[in-house]
């Protein structure tokens, strides 16, 4: 079956020859970024003109391909709002931060964010094909003068070589697919030379902003670095075109599994029905919805934020209502660097010692009878348990379940609760609260 999706080109580009239009270099060098550039394509509002003429604005640049998807007569067009700034963008808001995810604090070397035990985020460029107004990394992205240096790449690679717990490297930025192909290939080669790196991932919006960049040559190059996974970034069904579907098909034929990371944005996709159409169109292209993010508390993004409950409402409207693998996980990326936290509706209503009460998406309430006799899994005879390796300090709540720790407490807890007692006890303070008889899993 040949998939049919719409394809659009703004009238002023009608005379551009096909070979130019389909050349990603032409798209990059004809990007729109000023009141004058937009004039002939999209009549700008006062708010947009004001923003475009203001100082210190986060970089604006839009490929002619992506600009063509905007309905010029609609000031609230969902694509327009993602890439053309409005005056609200320059208004500060409560909770706003420059680096809301504290990525810089988690960086052992510039551009490498090591937040989770077994994987890292590697920022490989500051450049994108177009710039999203709600960019979570606007503090580093977009500056045409500042990019990562050869020396910084060397430091990133050195860190990875000496950090064997990293088995998954996620290339992002900026957008890795805007890099010179030779530079990207060299980077991938150097990563593949590190034996403990099992998988490489690329996070990119290039297929959405500039699908013509996904050439056969690029796919032939990427294919050499399997297992390679890719996440794209589509927020609204209007971004799904024949060009995007063809680019995804090429990547998939090169064996690259595709996921989608969307951001929940006020006035753009904060609607169950838009989201349902989005995920259904994505899976028609064989792109699996991966995450739906709550908008970060980042400078310039205040007017895009929704209540967190909007995300829960959207998941409520997807789970059960459409294909299970079309449902993304809704994520709040914790301000202050706590990382990604999934949030979802509650499906468990109650429980007893042998029964749970659950509800489905229709409100049907059921009971699941649990076994009265369950022979517990024995970690002492399981080879996987015996060879497990939790990252010290990052065992988390799982560490509590496995008996590595008895509690997790806030910083300053002991000092606050030290009322001077305890000296009369016989046992040393650090042993007093250990359970007598049941210890941690023996190793
Ligand atoms: C999102 C992210 C990852 C990858 O998270 P997954 O849940 O594995 O997709 C890794 N490192 C950082 C710093 C991230 O923000």
């Amino acid at each position: 079956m040949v998939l049919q999706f719409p394809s659009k080109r703004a009238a002023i580009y009608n005379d551009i020859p096909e070979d130019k239009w389909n050349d990603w270099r032409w798209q990059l060098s004809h990007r729109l970024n000023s009141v004058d550039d937009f004039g002939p394509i999209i009549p700008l509002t006062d708010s947009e003109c004001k923003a475009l003429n203001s100082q210190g604005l986060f970089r604006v640049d839009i490929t002619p391909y992506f600009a063509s998807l905007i309905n010029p007569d609609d000031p609230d067009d969902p694509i327009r709002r993602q890439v053309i700034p409005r005056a609200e963008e320059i208004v500060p808001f409560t909770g706003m931060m420059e680096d809301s995810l504290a990525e810089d604090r988690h960086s052992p070397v510039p551009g490498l964010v090591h937040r989770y035990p077994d994987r890292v985020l590697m920022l490989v460029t500051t450049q994108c094909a177009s710039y999203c107004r709600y960019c979570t990394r606007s503090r580093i992205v977009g500056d045409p003068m500042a990019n990562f240096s050869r020396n910084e790449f060397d430091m990133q690679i050195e860190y990875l070589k000496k950090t064997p717990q990293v088995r998954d490297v996620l290339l992002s930025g900026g957008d890795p697919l805007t890099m010179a192909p030779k530079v990207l290939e060299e980077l991938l080669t150097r990563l593949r030379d590190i034996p403990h790196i099992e998988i490489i991932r690329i996070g990119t919006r290039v297929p959405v902003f500039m699908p013509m960049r996904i050439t056969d040559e690029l796919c032939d190059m990427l294919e050499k670095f399997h297992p390679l996974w890719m996440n794209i970034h589509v927020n609204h069904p209007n971004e799904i075109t024949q060009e995007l579907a063809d680019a995804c098909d090429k990547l998939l034929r090169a064996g690259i599994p595709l996921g989608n990371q969307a951001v929940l944005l006020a006035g753009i996709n904060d609607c169950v029905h838009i989201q349902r159409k989005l995920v259904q169109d994505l899976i028609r292209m064989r792109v699996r919805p991966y995450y739906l993010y709550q908008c970060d508390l980042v400078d310039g993004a205040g007017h895009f934020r929704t209540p967190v409950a909007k995300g829960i409402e959207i998941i409520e409207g997807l789970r059960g209502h459409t294909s299970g693998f079309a449902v993304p996980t809704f994520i709040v990326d914790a301000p202050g660097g706590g990382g990604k936290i999934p949030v979802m509706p509650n499906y468990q209503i109650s429980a007893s010692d042998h029964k749970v009460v659950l509800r489905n998406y229709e409100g049907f309430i059921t009971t699941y009878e649990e076994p009265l006799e369950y022979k517990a899994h024995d970690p002492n005879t399981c080879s996987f348990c015996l060879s497990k390796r939790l990252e010290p300090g990052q065992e988390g709540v799982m560490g509590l379940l496995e008996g590595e720790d008895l509690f997790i407490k806030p910083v300053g807890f002991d000092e606050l609760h030290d009322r001077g007692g305890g000296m009369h006890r016989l046992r040393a303070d650090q042993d007093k609260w250990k359970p007598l008889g049941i210890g941690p899993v023996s190793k």
Side-chain angles (χ1 to χ4, degrees):
M1 189 183 108
V2 181
L3 283 179
Q4 287 301 316
F5 291 99
S7 182
K8 271 169 78 182
R9 200 193 288 196
I12 65 148
Y13 297 121
N14 279 346
D15 297 337
I16 305 297
E18 284 300 311
D19 60 333
K20 278 201 173 133
W21 181 258
N22 292 320
D23 178 352
W24 58 275
R25 292 181 184 84
W26 185 91
Q27 290 283 338
L28 278 185
S29 57
H30 289 80
R31 285 182 289 183
L32 315 163
N33 56 44
S34 65
V35 172
D36 288 346
D37 286 347
F38 290 114
I41 306 179
I42 300 156
L44 295 176
T45 63
D46 291 347
S47 170
E48 289 165 336
C49 289
K50 182 176 168 206
L52 283 165
N53 288 324
S54 67
Q55 294 295 311
L57 189 73
F58 174 55
R59 177 157 167 198
V60 177
D61 249 332
I62 308 168
T63 55
Y65 161 83
F66 201 62
S68 294
L69 305 183
I70 295 172
N71 170 6
D73 303 325
D74 180 5
D76 293 319
D77 178 273
I79 290 183
R80 174 182 191 142
R81 294 212 47 208
Q82 290 181 55
V83 288
I84 301 182
R86 287 186 172 192
E88 295 101 297
E89 182 170 320
I90 42 193
V91 180
F93 64 93
T94 311
M96 178 178 103
M97 288 174 261
E98 186 189 51
D99 178 14
S100 80
L101 310 179
E103 290 186 327
D104 296 345
R105 188 148 45 77
H106 284 111
S107 298
V109 298
L112 200 73
V113 189
H114 192 178
R115 171 69 192 74
Y116 299 99
D118 69 339
R119 55 207 188 279
V120 297
L121 172 67
M122 193 168 170
L123 307 179
V124 294
T125 174
T126 59
Q127 306 298 299
C128 288
S130 301
Y131 294 89
C132 311
R133 303 325 299 164
Y134 49 87
C135 178
T136 195
R137 260 177 233 123
S138 50
R139 72 186 185 284
I140 49 173
V141 166
D143 185 340
M145 295 302 151
N147 214 332
F148 293 98
S149 65
R150 175 89 209 173
N151 181 39
E152 281 165 332
F153 283 148
D154 290 346
M155 284 162 64
Q156 294 178 338
I157 297 283
E158 272 321 300
Y159 177 84
L160 292 173
K161 278 189 182 156
K162 65 177 205 310
T163 315
Q165 69 265 35
V166 175
R167 39 161 292 285
D168 172 4
V169 175
L170 165 46
L171 303 184
S172 182
D175 196 317
L177 294 189
T178 62
M179 293 169 89
K182 282 277 159 286
V183 179
L184 179 59
E185 181 166 7
E186 193 203 324
L187 190 65
L188 290 167
T189 306
R190 293 177 76 186
L191 289 173
R192 266 288 160 250
D193 279 346
I194 306 175
H196 57 263
I197 294 178
E198 295 172 3
I199 67 161
I200 300 174
R201 298 193 247 178
I202 294 177
T204 177
R205 209 177 185 189
V206 159
V208 177
F209 285 145
M210 197 169 61
M212 43 294 276
R213 176 66 191 95
I214 310 304
T215 57
D216 292 336
E217 295 83 327
L218 180 72
C219 293
D220 289 346
M221 187 274 275
L222 294 174
E223 204 174 17
K224 292 188 287 184
F225 299 97
H226 277 312
L228 181 75
W229 293 62
M230 194 178 280
N231 270 320
I232 64 171
H233 173 34
V234 183
N235 289 323
H236 190 280
N238 291 7
E239 292 161 59
I240 298 184
T241 62
Q242 193 58 45
E243 289 88 339
L244 174 62
D246 291 343
C248 291
D249 187 60
K250 279 200 172 114
L251 292 163
L252 290 158
R253 283 170 196 273
I256 304 170
L258 296 180
N260 186 61
Q261 315 201 73
V263 181
L264 179 54
L265 298 165
I268 294 176
N269 60 10
D270 51 345
C271 160
V272 173
H273 302 283
I274 293 174
Q275 291 281 346
R276 197 180 294 170
K277 174 79 168 121
L278 172 64
V279 299
Q280 288 173 345
D281 281 355
L282 285 166
I283 65 171
R284 285 172 66 206
M285 297 195 296
R286 288 174 286 155
V287 177
R288 173 140 171 28
Y290 179 48
Y291 285 151
L292 172 65
Y293 289 102
Q294 174 71 11
C295 188
D296 289 330
L297 293 167
V298 68
D299 191 358
H303 59 299
F304 288 119
R305 294 181 312 136
T306 63
V308 172
K310 180 51 81 174
I312 297 177
E313 178 190 336
I314 287 168
I315 302 304
E316 185 71 68
L318 295 178
R319 174 65 63 199
H321 295 274
T322 193
S323 316
F325 63 85
V327 182
T329 304
F330 176 53
I331 297 281
V332 179
D333 212 335
K340 298 183 177 68
I341 300 174
V343 181
M344 66 199 81
N346 287 325
Y347 294 98
Q348 181 173 339
I349 287 181
S350 194
S352 76
D353 63 356
H354 64 104
K355 204 178 271 205
V356 288
V357 182
L358 306 166
R359 63 105 175 165
N360 81 350
Y361 72 103
E362 296 165 294
F364 175 84
I365 297 179
T366 190
T367 54
Y368 179 87
E369 213 35 71
E370 295 180 298
L372 289 174
E373 280 168 46
Y374 166 61
K375 187 171 173 297
H377 175 71
D378 182 0
N380 294 309
T381 57
C382 165
S383 63
F384 291 89
C385 288
L386 291 171
S387 65
K388 76 167 183 227
R389 207 189 42 182
L390 291 181
E391 202 48 42
Q394 284 189 294
E395 303 93 340
V397 175
M398 184 180 169
L400 298 181
L401 296 177
E402 301 216 332
E404 308 254 341
D405 285 303
L406 271 179
F407 41 69
I408 297 174
K409 53 192 169 185
V411 176
F413 183 93
D414 289 338
E415 294 72 15
L416 178 72
H417 292 279
D418 182 2
R419 311 292 187 199
M423 301 307 289
H424 59 289
R425 305 284 176 92
L426 292 173
R427 298 173 66 85
D429 195 56
Q430 67 266 33
D431 295 333
K432 214 157 47 187
W433 302 105
K434 294 265 167 66
L436 301 170
I438 42 158
V441 175
S442 58
K443 271 176 271 209

